């Protein structure tokens, strides 16, 4: 049973991707290609580099999540930075290029300079991931060759079309981490340094700026949900896997193992569909191949 996987964005919710990949492998699905956006791009890249889901989980469990988003002296305009994430990617992926990966992989970003969606599947994997996770406003954009790149989820929250191109003819399982349309939005708070006293943090959350950001971010969330649903309709993945991780905030410090379990549960919920479409695609491939 072979398939291609598209891993969507969602910040800390993306830890659930680990469980999705593990359960797929446990059920004997062979993942022939993987595409990712934002946090999904991180997991896609590390998995394609040869790390097993168990190894990825252990790596994430060892990360000090409070030190991931510090700003560096070269960072552009943004509320937070990616200095800790960059160091972790350097340690995990090193100088790995897309040619070095074990299976076909691509991540998506948005090219603000030319106003287009960008699929990255060559060059430095680390740099591609940093471009794919550069959430506008929160993190600095990624600058390369005179081009300004930001988070791929701006135009494509779940890169189904990219996953399909990586492995033509195979079914695509799309992992989406956003709430469905019609579900309530969750209040958003300006991220605060962990050492900041709680009374001060609460006072900041009550400022006009913080409240305006709350309205803006919740509106953007609804727009992102709608975009994800419209892209799923347009790109038509064979199976949609939706882990129940909507209670998790974008940059929340999380229990990696617990979210991974939610990813495994989401696969279990759609196992009959996964087995049906992979079996059907395999039979179709044999029929077409026999006619040639």
């Amino acid at each position: 049973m072979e398939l291609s996987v598209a891993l969507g964005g969602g910040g800390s919710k993306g830890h659930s991707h680990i469980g999705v990949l593990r359960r797929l492998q446990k059920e004997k699905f062979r993942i022939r290609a993987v595409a990712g956006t934002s946090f999904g791009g991180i997991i896609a890249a590390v998995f394609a580099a040869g790390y097993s889901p168990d190894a990825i989980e252990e790596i994430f469990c060892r990360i000090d999540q409070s030190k991931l988003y510090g700003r560096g002296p070269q960072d552009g305009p943004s509320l937070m930075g990616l200095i800790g994430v960059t160091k972790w990617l350097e340690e995990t992926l090193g100088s790995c290029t897309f040619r070095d990966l074990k299976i076909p992989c691509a991540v998506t970003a948005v090219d603000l300079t030319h106003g287009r969606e960008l699929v990255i599947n060559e060059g430095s994997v680390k740099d591609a991931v940093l471009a794919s996770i550069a959430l506008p406003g929160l993190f600095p954009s990624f600058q390369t060759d005179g081009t300004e790149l930001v988070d791929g989820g701006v135009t494509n929250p779940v890169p189904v079309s990219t996953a399909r191109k990586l492995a033509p003819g195979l079914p695509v399982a799309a992992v989406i981490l956003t709430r469905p349309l019609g579900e309530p939005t969750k209040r958003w708070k300006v991220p605060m340094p962990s050492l900041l006293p709680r009374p001060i943090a609460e006072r900041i959350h009550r400022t006009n700026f913080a409240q305006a950001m709350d309205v803006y971010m919740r509106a953007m969330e609804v727009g992102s949900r709608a975009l994800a649903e419209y892209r799923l309709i347009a790109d038509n993945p064979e199976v949609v896997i939706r882990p129940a991780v909507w209670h998790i905030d974008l940059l929340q410090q999380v229990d990696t193992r617990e979210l991974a379990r939610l990813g495994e549960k989401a696969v279990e919920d759609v196992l009959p569909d996964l087995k049906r479409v992979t079996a059907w695609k395999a039979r179709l491939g044999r029929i077409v191949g026999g006619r040639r």
Side-chain angles (χ1 to χ4, degrees):
M1 297 184 292
E2 298 181 325
L3 48 71
S4 183
V5 178
L7 302 178
S12 296
K13 302 176 183 70
H15 290 77
S16 60
H17 287 317
I18 300 169
V20 169
L21 296 174
R22 177 162 53 215
R23 186 59 186 269
L24 288 174
Q25 290 190 328
K26 182 179 179 181
E27 296 294 335
K28 308 303 182 185
F29 290 99
R30 185 180 179 191
I31 301 171
R32 296 294 302 275
V34 60
T37 291
S38 198
F39 203 108
I42 297 177
I43 303 297
V46 176
F47 179 74
Y51 290 89
S52 69
D54 285 347
I56 297 172
E57 181 177 89
E58 291 305 316
I59 290 171
F60 273 84
C61 284
R62 292 196 300 268
I63 292 174
D64 184 344
Q65 297 177 36
S66 68
K67 296 181 179 180
L68 290 175
Y69 307 120
R71 285 180 53 80
Q74 305 303 317
D75 286 342
S78 61
L79 289 174
M80 308 178 76
L82 290 169
I83 216 170
V85 176
T86 301
K87 180 180 178 181
W88 176 80
L89 287 171
E90 289 171 347
E91 294 170 350
T92 307
L93 296 172
S95 58
C96 179
T97 69
F98 281 89
R99 288 179 177 271
D100 300 322
L101 298 179
K102 309 301 182 184
I103 60 173
C105 174
V107 302
T108 63
V110 171
D111 177 351
L112 291 183
T113 305
H114 301 96
R116 62 181 181 176
E117 182 179 319
L118 190 65
V119 174
I120 309 175
N121 59 1
E122 59 183 23
S124 166
V125 178
K126 172 183 71 70
D127 287 351
V129 170
L130 287 172
S132 186
I133 65 175
L135 191 65
L138 281 182
F139 301 130
S141 57
F142 187 83
Q143 309 284 333
T144 178
D145 298 327
T147 302
E148 187 176 13
L149 305 180
V150 296
D151 194 302
V154 170
T155 58
N156 197 349
V158 191
V160 173
S161 56
T162 303
R164 183 163 284 128
K165 289 177 182 177
L166 290 173
L170 291 184
V172 175
V175 188
I176 180 169
L177 305 179
T178 55
R179 288 178 183 265
L181 281 172
E183 294 283 332
T185 59
K186 188 177 180 181
R187 290 285 179 180
W188 188 86
K189 291 186 176 182
V190 178
M192 297 292 171
S194 59
L195 296 178
L196 195 66
R198 184 173 179 179
I200 296 177
E202 290 300 324
R203 186 177 301 174
I204 293 173
H205 289 317
R206 291 194 296 269
T207 64
N208 185 64
F209 168 77
Q211 293 177 20
M213 283 298 297
D214 166 56
V215 173
Y216 173 77
M217 292 299 291
R218 286 189 291 128
M220 291 298 293
E221 179 193 338
V222 174
S224 178
R225 288 191 214 171
L227 177 60
E229 298 296 334
Y230 299 154
R231 287 298 301 243
L232 287 176
I233 292 170
D235 296 333
N236 194 27
E238 279 70 17
V239 177
V240 173
I241 301 171
R242 200 187 289 259
V245 292
W246 312 311
H247 58 291
I248 302 297
D249 288 332
L250 187 66
L251 302 180
Q252 181 177 331
Q253 294 183 35
V254 298
D255 181 336
T256 297
R257 298 191 199 281
E258 176 59 28
L259 264 67
R261 283 193 288 270
L262 293 175
E264 292 186 70
K265 174 63 167 59
V267 173
E268 181 180 339
D269 292 341
V270 298
L271 266 179
D273 292 335
L274 279 164
K275 292 179 178 180
R276 175 178 52 80
V277 298
T278 51
W280 179 80
K281 283 279 187 176
R283 285 197 300 270
L284 181 62
R286 288 193 294 269
I287 292 171
V288 173
R291 290 175 178 172
R292 291 175 180 171

